[in-house]
Amino acid sequence: MQAEQLSVAAGELSIVRPGASPKQALRAWDAADEYLIKLIEELTHQPELLIINDQFGALGCACNKALHIWQSDSFCAKEAFELNRKINEIEGEIPFLESTRAINADNKLALIKLPRNTSLLEYQLNRCHEMGIKEVWLAGMMKHLPKTILEQLQRFGTVERLPFIKKATVFKLQLTQAIPDSYPKQNTFSGVKLSSHANVFGRDKLDPGAQFFIDNMSALPKAQNVADLCCGSGILGIKYASNSPESNLHFFDESYMAIESTQASWKLNQLSNQKHFHWADGLPDSGTKFDLILCNPPFHESNTVGDHIAKRLFKQSRKALSANGQLIVVGNRHLKYHITLKTYFKNVKQIAANPKFVLLSANG
Ligand SMILES: C[S@@+](CC[C@H](N)C(=O)[O-])C[C@H]1O[C@@H](n2cnc3c(N)ncnc32)[C@H](O)[C@@H]1O
């Protein structure tokens, strides 16, 4: 993991991007971060800042002196920020706020890195309004901006768009109103009741990969300790638990909203199994051994597509499986998980397949 130098008014910061594949050599910040940093540095009076969706903590490190609240849904982003603070000798705790919480932040300036997910953006602007924030600066790269971004922002107040610099732009929003909240939303998919927050995968419709997994769940063995790795709103683990009341379920996701949604979904389904919820990067080494790990892996990390996360999850799963334990993975055929899995496991078997998806088991 190579640190890169980010030039700010106060000097140079060394910033790393944990988790990136060495082949991809990706930077931990973009021109939209640089744009926001420059605008803040140009202000004669420094307002207190609420920073939202800072992906690896570059923005938080650069604006550290004015930082009042740092809010993110991502465990990995928080870990990266912690690491970058340490590297740059920034002392104290992160002024962290969970992504579903709102506290009084009257008179603060909010800086938002525009998320890909517009439901999340709406949710975050509603929370900013609830916190008493009047001004929000939103930054993003031209290639990632939704076509209707201006209209979307105008529903919350008056918007000024600044010129593009290095293909990045900033919208200055005078936040005067909220819009009706659409999330958390309740759905029933394949007999499982789900509550899903705004940033949760499959919040509006069941993912076809998850559907295929569920359609073939009866082929899985009965197991004691079961992990739903990358659980989203908990669909796979809850479905498994409803057919196996003796199993202990452990749910893992790096999205805070996913874990909170899974907890709410669990309650809706009134199951009596033992259950544990973990906001974590993948499957941390906790000493617990799993007899079964269910996984519908992510194939992108924010705007970066790739199988580097899946590879890490497979490696961690191999370590966390009990002697006869199995990892069960669903994936699009074109992702070729059967080949990737063979680099980590002795035995890889196809449990089911259709023209689009495969369900694989791996062990040994
Ligand atoms: C394809 S979705 C699967 C969600 C759900 N299990 C389903 O089948 O509908 C992948 C999930 O992986 C989570 N995720 C992404 N990176 C992760 C990481 N490093 N550690 C844990 N979870 C991660 C995402 O938040 C998302 O909920």
Side-chain angles (χ1 to χ4, degrees):
M1 197 173 18
Q2 182 94 36
E4 294 210 38
Q5 300 304 300
L6 170 62
S7 299
V8 294
E12 297 276 307
L13 291 168
S14 294
I15 305 287
V16 294
R17 175 173 174 160
S21 139
K23 282 185 214 145
Q24 287 174 301
L26 298 162
R27 244 182 24 182
W29 72 91
D30 58 22
D33 290 303
E34 290 173 340
Y35 207 150
L36 282 177
I37 294 167
K38 195 148 189 308
L39 289 174
I40 294 296
E41 286 173 348
E42 281 167 5
L43 294 175
T44 42
H45 168 72
Q46 285 289 314
E48 288 188 307
L49 300 176
L50 191 164
I51 294 181
I52 302 177
N53 306 332
D54 183 10
Q55 214 191 338
F56 299 97
L59 209 47
C61 287
C63 302
N64 173 53
K65 289 222 165 72
L67 183 60
H68 186 70
I69 297 169
W70 191 88
Q71 188 170 50
S72 170
D73 188 46
S74 162
F75 183 90
C76 298
K78 183 165 175 271
E79 268 205 330
F81 187 28
E82 260 156 21
L83 180 60
N84 281 316
R85 281 167 68 97
K86 213 166 172 187
I87 293 171
N88 293 286
E89 297 175 358
I90 299 173
E91 287 178 357
E93 295 278 298
I94 297 178
F96 177 67
L97 185 67
E98 292 82 0
S99 55
T100 53
R101 277 187 63 208
I103 55 173
N104 186 356
D106 231 352
N107 299 322
K108 311 284 180 282
L109 170 63
L111 305 183
I112 299 187
K113 275 304 287 297
L114 280 163
R116 288 185 343 151
N117 168 354
T118 51
S119 309
L120 177 62
L121 177 62
E122 282 180 15
Y123 181 88
Q124 292 179 325
L125 288 173
N126 274 348
R127 298 292 76 72
C128 283
H129 187 260
E130 189 181 338
M131 290 195 265
I133 288 171
K134 313 274 182 315
E135 186 158 359
V136 186
W137 295 357
L138 306 105
M141 299 302 297
M142 190 193 277
K143 62 180 173 192
H144 300 143
L145 296 180
K147 284 200 178 67
T148 55
I149 183 70
L150 192 61
E151 291 80 358
Q152 283 179 38
L153 295 178
Q154 281 167 338
R155 289 181 300 157
F156 292 87
T158 342
V159 186
E160 177 197 0
R161 188 178 70 70
L162 303 193
F164 280 99
I165 298 180
K166 291 203 254 172
K167 298 185 179 161
T169 192
V170 171
F171 298 89
K172 289 187 170 179
L173 167 67
Q174 302 301 318
L175 182 59
T176 50
Q177 66 207 39
I179 63 169
D181 269 318
S182 315
Y183 297 92
K185 186 187 256 187
Q186 292 199 4
N187 280 308
T188 302
F189 295 138
S190 286
V192 180
K193 293 180 184 156
L194 295 175
S195 170
S196 303
H197 269 295
N199 197 30
V200 177
F201 180 87
R203 61 193 169 275
D204 298 316
K205 62 178 180 14
L206 180 59
D207 172 54
Q211 175 77 69
F212 184 66
F213 200 131
I214 287 172
D215 291 345
N216 292 286
M217 220 173 230
S218 57
L220 303 189
K222 292 273 176 258
Q224 182 66 34
N225 272 343
V226 179
D228 180 347
L229 178 56
C230 302
C231 60
S233 47
I235 177 115
L236 299 180
I238 293 175
K239 186 70 188 176
Y240 186 89
S242 65
N243 295 326
S244 294
E246 69 292 349
S247 314
N248 303 331
L249 267 293
H250 288 255
F251 294 91
F252 297 85
D253 205 290
E254 80 97 33
S255 154
Y256 188 87
M257 288 191 177
I259 291 301
E260 221 181 77
S261 302
T262 302
Q263 285 172 313
S265 303
W266 183 272
K267 279 195 192 132
L268 289 175
N269 290 279
Q270 301 183 325
L271 297 168
S272 57
N273 311 53
Q274 281 189 36
K275 77 285 181 192
H276 310 267
F277 305 96
H278 311 266
W279 187 43
D281 177 10
L283 194 54
D285 194 358
S286 66
T288 307
K289 293 287 177 195
F290 295 102
D291 309 304
L292 204 55
I293 300 175
L294 318 174
C295 188
N296 180 5
F299 41 87
H300 64 81
E301 181 189 47
S302 192
N303 293 312
T304 312
V305 178
D307 64 356
H308 58 288
I309 307 177
K311 284 182 175 158
R312 208 168 70 227
L313 297 169
F314 298 164
K315 200 168 161 191
Q316 290 172 327
S317 297
R318 187 186 55 192
K319 249 180 129 181
L321 282 176
S322 61
N324 293 315
Q326 294 182 42
L327 166 67
I328 314 291
V329 176
V330 72
N332 234 294
R333 270 177 186 280
H334 72 81
L335 295 169
K336 297 193 168 49
Y337 283 151
H338 60 289
I339 297 174
T340 319
L341 282 165
K342 277 191 185 144
T343 62
Y344 301 99
F345 295 90
K346 285 199 191 94
N347 311 309
V348 178
K349 262 187 1 210
Q350 183 176 296
I351 301 175
N354 72 10
K356 212 160 167 217
F357 294 100
V358 284
L359 187 66
L360 303 164
S361 93
N363 71 341

